[in-house]
Amino acid sequence: MNQFIWRSGLLGLALMVFSSNAFAANDYYFSVSDGHDISGNGSLANPWASISKLNSLTLNAGDTVRLKGGDTFSGNIYLDPLDTGTNASGALVSPISLTSYAAGRATISASNSFGLYAYNNGGINISNLNFVGSGVAANGTTTNTSDGIAFYTDKAGGIKQNHIYIDNVEVSGFGGKGISIGGFNGTTAYNDVRVADTSTHDNLKAGLITYAQNWGANTNVTVSGVAAWNNFGDPASAGNTGSGIVLGNVNGATIERSVAHNNGQNNNPTEGPVGIWTYDSNNVSIQFNESYANRTNNGDGGGFDLDQNVTNSVMQYNYSHDNAGAGYLLYDGDGTTRFNSGNVVRYNISQNDGRRGDTAVGGINIGGNVKNLDVYQNTIFITKTSSGAIVPAINIAKYGAATSPTAIRILNNIFYTDNGGRLVLKNSNVTGVITFLNNDYYSADGAFNVSWNGTTYTTLAAWLAAVTTQERYDKDGNGIAEIVAFNVDPKLVLAGGGGTFGDADMLALLNAYRLQANSPLINGGLNLQAAFGIVPGTHDFFLIPIPQGVAFDIGASEVPEPTMLALLAAGAAIFAFRRRRAA
């Protein structure tokens, strides 16, 4: 044999053995009920017993910590920079995992401190665990001042710590945030963050939050199947607290199939909490979520929000209802850097938002430095509040000294009010270009109310006679711009009767806001792609492909053609038959 080849082969084999030994993964078992820190060895047969023993270990890439399900471990898990599944540059080597074994979840009882704190490390999986703090009273009183699960990085050099996965975890009773993931040192932050099938509730300052020092520093973030509720807000805080799910400083993110409710009741600042929102971010999709009954003592308290310095993002296929603030908020009070720009709000449903009782909120609220916004194919239902406030279905305002909203297009929406609700409120200080086209304005009680630049109009005809720049389009291609607005009953199945699901996977059953087969809005929508180059997606709120007929329908519901109805009925029958057989 050629000596060079033979020796090279031995060297390669030696390197493979060395590499395997260097990254050999270990499983460490812990059990309060039958473990021993002194006589144990961390094996399944002879586990260790305490979190203090866990904290004494240095965890290497690929290691797994297994805590016995059903056991309660008192203490606080601390992962220092040596406990990492990434290399010095933050790149993933192999994740370190913390999880339960045997039946059920293990519980970390953190008392007055954090549940798990990870500093300057990445490559971490956390799954099938409960983290419980000492508790937070509904009025904000607590002895705990920490986050439940906290990842923090401040390494120099713009390091992105990769791979933070949290799955099937419950976090409650903490005086900080339930889950907090963030960095502070220029562009230093996290990449590839996943939080799935997790609940964070009864915490003080927020349910789930990401943050960083620089705009968009966190990248590739996904929140899916998260439930955030009863995160009350800190009455002593000078900044807004009490949100459900907040993605700050992200570039490329999705929040989907999640539910936020009953958050924020103790917030006192004029800026406030929102159920699900993002700020200082780019390319964020907020979709297929339910956000309801969120509260505030002062500002905001809404369902969904694309806030300050958010660009190229979308809110779609969401259900917002019964929130104190706006159902869907678009806001920017800064405008010195990127503005709120290039965003889309489409195929959403709002029911009775703006419950806090002032007319500055509504189903959709647009204010401040908001530019290049498209709002289309939404269905908004509003009634007067119990205090008598005439809340608008859509509100457009300037807010203070901020630049006026401009380049706003509002297309193919249903604005439906009852019991004295207002359809549109546009403040006179809004000087930017606002375009309403092909919307349906319907007041079930006959009390048509559009407030435009300080004047109230009680009929569609009176409004459009006075404001000749709105609801006009050359729909027939004959060179003449004609009025294209609707003032008809949209024939919704049960307007105002949407109810609460509490499970985002059930939103396709929100039948109250489907159009009936005799709706005058069927095939009444503008073709937005042909008219404006807007690509409206592939389906409506209910996952019905669009369009079904010769044209698009108006609002969030597309009525299926008869062949599609037959297919849906057949699919439902097959599903029911299979469930009966499985039972």
Side-chain angles (χ1 to χ4, degrees):
M1 178 182 290
N2 183 292
Q3 293 295 305
F4 176 77
I5 296 175
W6 179 73
R7 289 175 181 170
S8 297
L10 285 179
L11 177 61
L13 180 60
L15 287 172
M16 288 176 61
V17 171
F18 173 79
S19 176
S20 176
N21 289 337
F23 299 111
N26 297 300
D27 277 12
Y28 300 116
Y29 289 84
F30 291 80
S31 171
V32 172
S33 54
D34 52 15
H36 304 276
D37 283 351
I38 297 175
S39 60
N41 61 12
S43 67
L44 176 60
N46 195 12
W48 289 312
S50 71
I51 287 179
S52 60
K53 180 63 179 180
L54 192 165
N55 288 338
S56 73
L57 302 175
T58 296
L59 301 177
N60 297 308
D63 287 352
T64 299
V65 173
R66 303 182 187 275
L67 307 174
K68 188 174 183 181
D71 282 6
T72 297
F73 295 80
S74 297
N76 320 103
I77 300 174
Y78 175 58
L79 303 180
D80 68 28
L82 297 179
D83 301 318
T84 185
T86 55
N87 63 19
S89 64
L92 179 65
V93 177
S94 183
I96 293 169
S97 298
L98 292 90
T99 189
S100 297
Y101 74 98
R105 293 178 182 170
T107 296
I108 288 80
S109 179
S111 187
N112 293 329
S113 190
F114 56 83
L116 181 148
Y117 178 53
Y119 175 57
N120 276 343
N121 44 23
I124 309 291
N125 293 341
I126 304 172
S127 64
N128 302 313
L129 294 170
N130 297 328
F131 294 86
V132 180
S134 57
V136 178
N139 66 359
T141 303
T142 180
T143 57
N144 188 296
T145 58
S146 300
D147 299 336
I149 298 175
F151 285 87
Y152 179 73
T153 182
D154 60 2
K155 294 183 73 172
I159 296 294
K160 291 286 192 294
Q161 290 289 351
N162 278 268
H163 190 100
I164 304 297
Y165 284 17
I166 301 172
D167 180 40
N168 198 29
V169 166
E170 184 171 2
V171 186
S172 63
F174 290 90
K177 283 78 68 177
I179 299 172
S180 172
I181 302 170
F184 198 86
N185 193 344
T187 58
T188 292
Y190 291 92
N191 175 64
D192 188 21
V193 175
R194 302 286 185 271
V195 184
D197 301 322
T198 286
S199 59
T200 171
H201 62 93
D202 293 277
N203 303 295
L204 185 62
K205 294 187 176 180
L208 164 64
I209 185 170
T210 68
Y211 64 96
Q213 183 176 10
N214 283 14
W215 179 89
N218 296 298
T219 51
N220 301 315
V221 178
T222 299
V223 175
S224 178
V226 169
W229 74 92
N230 287 358
N231 299 292
F232 301 113
D234 182 357
S237 176
N240 76 80
T241 59
S243 289
I245 300 169
V246 191
L247 295 189
N249 307 91
V250 297
N251 189 0
T254 299
I255 306 172
E256 63 184 4
R257 306 290 181 189
S258 295
V259 178
H261 64 92
N262 296 96
N263 300 293
Q265 68 186 41
N266 296 324
N267 178 78
N268 287 320
T270 54
E271 63 170 16
V274 175
I276 298 175
W277 62 295
T278 184
Y279 68 93
D280 286 351
S281 297
N282 178 63
N283 190 25
V284 179
S285 294
I286 300 177
Q287 59 186 15
F288 304 109
N289 304 290
E290 182 180 15
S291 186
Y292 65 93
N294 295 294
R295 296 288 177 260
T296 181
N297 269 338
N298 201 342
D300 291 329
F304 298 90
D305 177 16
L306 301 181
D307 210 89
Q308 189 157 296
N309 293 330
V310 171
T311 56
N312 307 312
S313 297
V314 59
M315 292 189 287
Q316 59 185 0
Y317 317 122
N318 300 294
Y319 178 35
S320 176
H321 61 97
D322 303 293
N323 292 290
Y328 302 91
L329 175 62
L330 292 303
Y331 175 76
D332 195 302
D334 178 13
T336 58
T337 50
R338 292 175 173 83
F339 306 98
N340 182 304
S341 179
N343 298 314
V344 172
V345 180
R346 66 182 184 184
Y347 285 103
N348 301 287
I349 294 171
S350 167
Q351 175 180 287
N352 281 335
D353 289 310
R355 298 297 92 186
R356 76 185 193 211
D358 68 76
T359 58
V361 293
I364 298 174
N365 197 47
I366 304 166
N369 294 297
V370 178
K371 305 177 186 300
N372 304 311
L373 168 68
D374 286 328
V375 178
Y376 59 88
Q377 302 288 168
N378 303 283
T379 297
I380 310 299
F381 175 86
I382 288 288
T383 62
K384 188 185 291 184
T385 67
S386 59
S387 65
I390 308 174
V391 178
I394 182 168
N395 177 49
I396 305 173
K398 182 177 179 181
Y399 293 132
T403 302
S404 177
T406 192
I408 313 297
R409 296 187 293 197
I410 301 164
L411 317 164
N412 285 357
N413 301 285
I414 295 173
F415 301 125
Y416 188 127
T417 63
D418 197 5
N419 191 32
R422 178 178 280 134
L423 292 158
V424 178
L425 172 59
K426 185 183 92 63
N427 291 348
S428 58
N429 61 4
V430 175
T431 57
V433 178
I434 313 294
T435 302
F436 283 79
L437 274 181
N438 213 68
N439 302 287
D440 182 37
Y441 307 88
Y442 179 67
S443 300
D445 60 356
F448 186 98
N449 186 322
V450 168
S451 178
W452 193 271
N453 294 345
T455 300
T456 297
Y457 300 94
T458 58
T459 67
L460 180 67
W463 174 38
L464 297 184
V467 184
T468 58
T469 57
Q470 299 302 324
E471 291 291 355
R472 286 166 169 82
Y473 181 70
D474 181 11
K475 196 172 183 178
D476 300 324
N478 59 7
I480 300 174
E482 58 192 274
I483 291 177
V484 293
F486 291 79
N487 180 208
V488 297
D489 183 350
K491 302 292 184 183
L492 299 171
V493 169
L494 185 62
T500 298
F501 291 94
D503 181 349
D505 288 332
M506 298 180 65
L507 291 183
L509 301 179
L510 185 57
N511 294 324
Y513 290 97
R514 291 182 186 268
L515 295 177
Q516 298 181 53
N518 62 342
S519 171
L521 303 184
I522 295 172
N523 296 328
L526 286 178
N527 185 324
L528 301 182
Q529 186 165 7
F532 305 109
I534 295 172
V535 180
T538 60
H539 59 80
D540 73 349
F541 178 94
F542 302 97
L543 306 182
I544 302 298
I546 56 174
Q548 284 289 304
V550 296
F552 293 87
D553 301 343
I554 294 176
S557 168
E558 184 83 7
V559 175
E561 291 292 282
T563 53
M564 174 62 72
L565 284 171
L567 288 172
L568 290 172
I574 292 170
F575 177 72
F577 175 73
R578 287 178 175 172
R579 289 196 69 180
R580 286 196 301 271
R581 291 195 63 182

